[in-house]
């Protein structure tokens, strides 16, 4: 049951095959059994069970709220949840209990979804591995998968004893690693992440999930503790594209509490079945073919392009000339906005407060010293440097100009007749934690965000779809990028691709009894990209 | 003075306090001088705390310097991707509020309906030459 898609479970609930309470208990039990992944910071068991009870009553009376009624979901811990601790994986907000729900959380609850808990992340969503939070790193469930372990044995790697306590586990990606691990390990059917530079798509690729970043302005940011106001968006993590469309349908739309949401009427997100791709034009940006890209992913990317071409689509090479500067530009803009956004954490109104009472400034400085980790402090200081009077023009304004050039690159490509861009999501599959931490957070982010963050600068929608398992048995994702506010079209194409690829289900060793086949019922022709 | 003792104790708890020189290990422009460090710490109200942090900033600045290679003549800065749209403004009617009690609950120190702060108008003192980790 837990391995099914959101839509399948929703049908099962409506048909009475399972009750919301039973489903909730199964998920909670699974959370307990996968605790070693450290995906959750807070598990809101009582809240979830109460919501399940109410959902059950609605189903009994034939008055269910919709596709999300009774569906267990998880939310990244940088979304405010009323009455439930919200920490952003930081000491600064340990014990902070918001008095309100983020708009996206409220929308999910209004549709009857069950909130299982808050998931782990990099501190304040800064990072690409979910390794730098105050509650410890998140382990990629695929580290413990049958697929990965079998490959390891075949390749005669040193045998691991005590697998779950072993030290060679893999990172989940970041910064929404907890949400990705939660969905991937079958503890919930959908999770909210946030995406500022790729923070939803990166862990989705590493955990074999669909990670969707909506167009900037489509989904409300009210209640999402901000990192970079001009680039943040809430992201959606699910096991298939159809599920993402269901969740997006609930979340999208203007919010009077977020003035950066557009007022366009929201078109419904039911995805049409795409059978004919011959009218589609797929663009392959040549600047994304970087030497650091693993040969395996390069080959998968190429095979995916061939897949579209052999199905009749037009596949052409395009150019985004300023690509090599986008990571630098992002670095400057991100740290600058972070410097401003983190200024609110002074210990006075909420969050951690130090005992120093000599002066306000001394108290602020001490509080921030204790509350923030090195990564956050480093970014704040960098940001302040770029915003100094003598540097403002040369760094901040300059970066804003480069941002326009990058955004224009995309506009030009889309105006030349391209519908969707196809790129890799990450440079390689998930790496072991011990290897990941050899470089510092900023270096890693600069490396790992390379394919994902230009999209945030341009505010475009993008989605990472799992494409295949690597030679090591680990998930690899590919990214599709669409025109602004053409999210439905993007998801339609993504779903077509997903159907061609038939990505396998994660098989967690020792927990196999819950993993009933998710795709038993689908009788689609499958073309594996591995062949 | 009690305040000074507290100040030293708080600064003293910063971890490694090895003295070192900014001249050594400076890569790139060497623009992160003592003055800049103090200025940034004052503005950000966040301290560097170690030599590694200063080195990281230098690397970050060197990285950012690559922007100079881009020709941006005649290009306007972009502040928001939604710049072509009108920002939504709601009408100025009070629709919610009266939640002072709820909001005060999250603070560590309140008195009646006030958040309590230590005295203001006292600048963060500059580090003495002896205590500073910037001077050898």
């Amino acid at each position: 049951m837990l391995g099914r898609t959101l839509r399948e479970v929703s049908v099962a609930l409506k048909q009475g095959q399972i009750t919301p309470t039973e489903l909730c208990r199964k998920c909670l039990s699974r959370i307990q059994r996968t605790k070693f992944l450290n995906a959750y910071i807070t598990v809101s068991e009582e809240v979830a069970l109460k919501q399940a009870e109410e959902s059950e009553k609605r189903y009994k009376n034939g008055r269910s709220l919709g596709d999300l009624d009774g569906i267990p979901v998880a939310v990244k811990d940088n979304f405010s949840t009323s009455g439930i601790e919200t920490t952003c994986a930081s000491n600064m907000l340990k014990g902070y209990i918001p008095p309100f729900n983020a708009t996206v959380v409220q929308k999910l609850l209004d549709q009857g979804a069950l909130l299982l808990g808050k998931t782990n992340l990099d501190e304040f969503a800064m990072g690409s591995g979910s390794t730098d939070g105050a509650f410890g790193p998140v382990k990629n469930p695929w580290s413990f998968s049958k697929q990965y372990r079998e490959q390891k044995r075949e390749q005669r790697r040193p045998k691991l004893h005590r697998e779950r306590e072993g030290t060679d586990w893999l990172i989940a990606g970041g910064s929404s690693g907890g949400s990705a691990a939660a969905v991937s390990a079958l503890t919930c059917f959908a999770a909210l992440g946030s995406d500022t530079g790729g923070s939803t798509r990166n862990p989705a690729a590493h955990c074999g999930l669909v990670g969707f970043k909506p167009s900037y302005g489509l989904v409300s940011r009210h209640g999402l503790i901000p990192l970079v106001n001009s680039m943040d968006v809430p992201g959606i993590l699910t096991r298939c594209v159809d599920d993402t469309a269901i969740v997006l349908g609930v979340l999208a739309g203007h919010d009077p509490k977020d003035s950066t949401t557009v007022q366009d009427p929201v078109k419904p997100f039911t995805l049409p079945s795409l059978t004919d791709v011959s009218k589609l034009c797929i663009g392959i940006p040549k600047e994304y073919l970087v030497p650091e890209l693993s040969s395996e992913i390069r080959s998968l990317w190429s095979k995916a392009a061939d897949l579209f071409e052999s199905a009749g689509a037009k596949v052409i090479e395009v150019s985004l000339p300023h690509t090599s500067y986008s990571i630098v530009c992002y670095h400057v803009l991100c740290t600058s906005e972070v410097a401003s956004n983190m200024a609110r954490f002074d210990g006075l109104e909420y969050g951690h407060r130090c005992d120093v009472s000599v002066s306000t400034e001394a108290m602020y400085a001490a509080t921030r010293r204790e509350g923030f980790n090195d990564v956050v402090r480093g970014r704040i200081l960098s940001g302040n440097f770029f915003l100094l009077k003598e540097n403002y023009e040369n760094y901040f304004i300059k970066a804003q100009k480069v941002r326009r050039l990058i955004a224009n690159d995309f506009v030009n490509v889309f105006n030349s007749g391209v519908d969707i861009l196809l790129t890799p999501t990450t440079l390689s599959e998930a790496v072991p934690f011990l290897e990941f931490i050899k470089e510092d957070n900023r270096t890693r982010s600069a490396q790992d965000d390379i394919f994902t963050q230009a999209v945030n600068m341009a505010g475009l929608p993008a989605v990472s779809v799992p494409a295949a398992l690597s030679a090591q048995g680990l998930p690899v994702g590919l990214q599709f990028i669409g025109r602004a506010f053409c999210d439905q079209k993007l998801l339609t194409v993504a779903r077509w691709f997903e159907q061609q690829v038939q990505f396998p289900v994660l098989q967690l060793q020792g927990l196999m009894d819950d993993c009933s086949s998710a795709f038993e019922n689908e009788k689609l022709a499958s073309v594996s990209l591995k062949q | 003075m009690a305040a000074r003792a507290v100040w030293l104790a708080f600064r003293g708890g910063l971890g490694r306090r090895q003295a070192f020189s900014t001249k050594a290990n400076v890569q790139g422009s060497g623009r992160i001088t003592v003055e800049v460090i103090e200025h940034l710490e004052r503005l950000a109200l966040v301290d560097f705390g170690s030599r590694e942090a200063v080195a990281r900033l230098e690397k970050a600045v060197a990285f950012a310097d690559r922007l100079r290679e881009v020709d941006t003549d005649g290009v306007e800065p972009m502040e928001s991707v939604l710049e072509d749209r009108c920002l939504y403004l709601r009408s100025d009617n009070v629709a919610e509020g009266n939640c002072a009690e709820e909001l005060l609950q999250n603070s560590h120190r309140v008195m009646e309906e006030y958040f309590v702060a230590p005295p203001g108008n006292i600048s963060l003192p500059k580090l003495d030459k002896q205590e500073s980790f910037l001077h050898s």
Side-chain angles (χ1 to χ4, degrees):
Chain A
M1 180 61 70
L2 291 184
R4 298 207 191 165
T5 66
L6 201 159
R7 194 179 278 290
E8 287 169 346
V9 161
S10 182
V11 167
L13 285 169
K14 289 191 185 99
Q15 292 176 348
Q17 288 170 31
I18 188 170
T19 68
T21 313
E22 281 164 356
L23 186 60
C24 187
R25 283 196 198 283
K26 272 188 190 259
C27 287
L28 288 169
S29 150
R30 185 135 179 122
I31 293 176
Q32 281 306 309
R33 288 155 78 198
T34 52
K35 230 171 166 180
F36 56 94
L37 297 175
N38 202 19
Y40 286 82
I41 294 178
T42 306
V43 179
S44 46
E45 191 167 317
E46 279 172 29
V47 167
L49 286 170
K50 184 155 175 296
Q51 290 166 347
E53 226 180 271
E54 286 162 16
S55 174
E56 208 160 306
K57 278 192 210 128
R58 287 192 292 266
Y59 274 109
K60 272 214 182 86
N61 298 332
R63 270 187 273 141
S64 72
L65 294 167
D67 287 336
L68 284 182
D69 203 341
I71 303 286
V73 298
V75 167
K76 186 174 179 182
D77 208 14
N78 60 355
F79 286 92
S80 298
T81 42
S82 177
I84 301 176
E85 190 182 7
T86 298
T87 64
C88 296
S90 176
N91 286 320
M92 185 60 87
L93 287 179
K94 255 190 198 157
Y96 168 63
I97 301 184
F100 72 106
N101 278 321
T103 298
V104 288
V105 172
Q106 190 62 55
K107 284 188 171 184
L108 289 176
L109 295 177
D110 286 344
Q111 285 291 306
L114 314 178
L115 180 56
L116 290 177
K118 310 299 291 298
T119 58
N120 205 350
L121 58 154
D122 278 305
E123 183 157 338
F124 280 110
M126 299 187 198
S128 59
S130 299
T131 51
D132 281 318
F135 298 95
V138 178
K139 298 184 185 177
N140 191 327
W142 286 84
S143 317
F144 309 99
S145 68
K146 190 160 176 261
Q147 290 101 328
Y148 179 57
R149 293 303 195 213
E150 273 172 1
Q151 288 303 319
K152 272 183 111 84
R153 274 194 281 278
E154 263 180 42
Q155 289 161 20
R156 287 196 182 81
R157 288 191 186 197
K159 195 163 187 250
L160 321 141
H161 62 280
R162 317 283 317 278
E163 281 167 4
R164 286 172 196 184
E165 283 88 56
T167 49
D168 67 338
W169 49 272
L170 312 163
I171 57 162
S175 58
S176 312
S179 285
V183 177
S184 176
L186 309 183
T187 63
C188 60
F189 294 89
L192 288 184
S194 67
D195 197 310
T196 305
S199 294
T200 295
R201 291 160 285 156
N202 177 299
H206 286 318
C207 294
L209 299 174
V210 173
F212 177 64
K213 176 210 169 291
S215 300
Y216 181 86
L218 186 64
V219 180
S220 171
R221 287 181 300 110
H222 175 73
L224 167 59
I225 295 174
L227 184 63
V228 182
N229 297 68
S230 67
M231 299 186 209
D232 286 348
V233 290
I236 303 172
L237 289 145
T238 56
R239 294 195 285 273
C240 70
V241 176
D242 198 37
D243 290 351
T244 291
I246 296 177
V247 178
L248 182 62
V250 168
L251 298 184
H254 174 65
D255 180 14
K257 293 183 183 174
D258 177 358
S259 57
T260 59
T261 52
V262 298
Q263 290 173 271
D264 301 347
V266 171
K267 292 170 272 197
F269 283 100
T270 39
L271 305 177
S273 271
L274 181 63
T275 42
D276 174 22
V277 295
S278 59
K279 295 192 185 63
L280 216 54
C281 178
I282 308 284
I284 310 286
K286 64 180 187 200
E287 290 86 0
Y288 280 47
L289 184 61
V290 294
E292 297 87 354
L293 180 62
S294 88
S295 53
E296 238 182 322
I297 300 190
R298 183 153 26 109
S299 150
L300 274 170
W301 185 20
S302 171
K303 287 196 187 128
D306 292 342
L307 188 69
F308 277 99
E309 201 160 43
S310 57
K314 187 167 157 208
V315 178
I316 57 172
E317 190 188 74
V318 295
S319 177
L320 297 169
H322 295 93
T323 298
S324 59
Y325 296 104
S326 69
I327 198 80
V328 187
C329 179
Y330 175 72
H331 162 72
V332 173
L333 292 178
C334 176
T335 49
S336 301
E337 292 210 33
V338 159
S340 176
N341 274 322
M342 295 295 127
R344 72 191 67 196
F345 297 107
D346 55 19
L348 270 185
E349 300 96 337
Y350 44 74
H352 175 65
R353 177 177 177 144
C354 193
D355 273 333
V356 169
S357 53
V358 175
S359 69
T360 328
E361 283 196 18
M363 189 277 276
Y364 290 171
T367 298
R368 289 156 71 80
R369 155 70 181 154
E370 289 178 9
F372 292 140
N373 71 2
D374 284 342
V375 175
V376 179
R377 296 202 336 263
R379 290 203 194 188
I380 293 173
L381 289 164
S382 300
N384 274 291
F385 179 84
F386 298 132
L387 293 172
L388 289 176
K389 264 190 285 206
E390 62 260 30
N391 295 329
Y392 194 78
E393 189 70 38
N394 293 328
Y395 289 96
F396 185 66
I397 298 291
K398 180 81 178 181
Q400 287 189 316
K401 291 180 181 176
V402 176
R403 182 177 181 177
R404 182 179 295 284
L405 292 174
I406 292 168
N408 283 346
D409 280 354
F410 282 102
V411 168
N412 292 336
V413 161
F414 285 122
N415 282 344
S416 72
V418 171
D419 297 302
I420 305 278
L421 293 171
L422 169 61
T423 78
T425 310
T426 54
L427 287 170
S428 71
E429 69 225 335
V431 298
F433 172 71
L434 291 176
E435 196 179 302
F436 185 79
I437 54 175
K438 283 184 188 159
E439 295 277 6
D440 72 41
N441 184 294
R442 188 189 63 79
T443 313
R444 281 297 180 210
S445 297
Q447 292 165 346
D448 298 336
D449 286 346
I450 193 167
F451 299 122
T452 49
Q453 43 81 292
V455 165
N456 293 81
M457 294 222 281
L460 302 173
V463 61
S464 176
V465 181
L469 289 183
S470 69
Q472 283 194 76
L474 296 174
V476 169
L478 289 175
Q479 176 178 236
F480 294 91
I481 305 172
R483 219 190 255 259
F485 298 105
C486 292
D487 301 57
Q488 189 193 28
K489 185 171 192 180
L490 176 69
L491 289 176
T492 304
V493 174
R495 188 170 72 166
W496 180 87
F497 178 73
E498 172 189 68
Q499 287 167 346
Q500 308 307 308
V501 165
Q502 293 284 294
F503 186 78
V505 182
L506 164 69
Q507 290 167 356
L508 268 185
Q509 291 183 307
L511 294 167
M512 301 276 284
D513 45 327
D514 282 350
C515 299
S516 48
S517 163
F519 300 109
E520 261 170 12
N521 301 327
E522 284 192 27
K523 290 182 176 61
L524 298 158
S526 78
V527 173
S528 168
L529 281 188
K530 290 279 293 180
Q531 284 160 4
Chain B
M1 209 159 70
R4 182 118 185 91
V6 171
W7 169 249
L8 286 177
F10 134 68
R11 289 299 275 190
L14 282 180
R16 280 155 286 146
R17 306 282 296 154
Q18 301 136 347
F20 67 93
S21 156
T22 43
K23 297 220 172 68
N25 292 350
V26 163
Q27 285 156 11
S29 54
R31 288 153 65 192
I32 315 300
T33 60
V34 172
E35 286 75 31
V36 171
I37 290 177
E38 283 179 353
H39 189 40
L40 286 178
E41 287 190 339
R42 174 83 210 288
L43 283 177
L45 286 181
V46 152
D47 64 311
F48 279 87
S50 70
R51 182 180 62 185
E52 278 81 16
V54 179
R56 273 199 291 263
L57 176 62
E58 279 163 358
K59 276 203 210 119
V61 174
F63 187 56
D65 279 336
R66 287 191 53 211
L67 280 180
R68 293 181 201 197
E69 295 162 21
V70 188
D71 178 11
T72 51
D73 275 339
V75 180
E76 285 296 301
M78 176 183 249
E79 282 171 3
S80 166
V81 295
L82 299 176
E83 59 189 3
D84 291 333
R85 294 171 186 256
C86 256
L87 193 69
Y88 167 76
L89 291 175
R90 64 180 177 86
S91 51
D92 191 11
N93 299 319
V94 175
E96 53 183 70
N98 283 326
C99 52
E101 221 179 278
E102 262 183 287
L103 296 178
L104 289 167
Q105 267 172 28
N106 272 311
S107 172
H108 284 269
R109 222 160 284 177
V110 296
M111 182 171 306
E112 294 179 13
E113 291 210 326
Y114 292 90
F115 293 111
V116 177
N121 273 341
I122 302 174
S123 298
L124 213 57
K126 281 206 176 125
L127 296 173
D128 265 28
K129 293 214 192 307
Q130 287 103 340
E131 285 86 25
S132 168
F133 67 89
L134 301 165
H135 297 82
S136 36

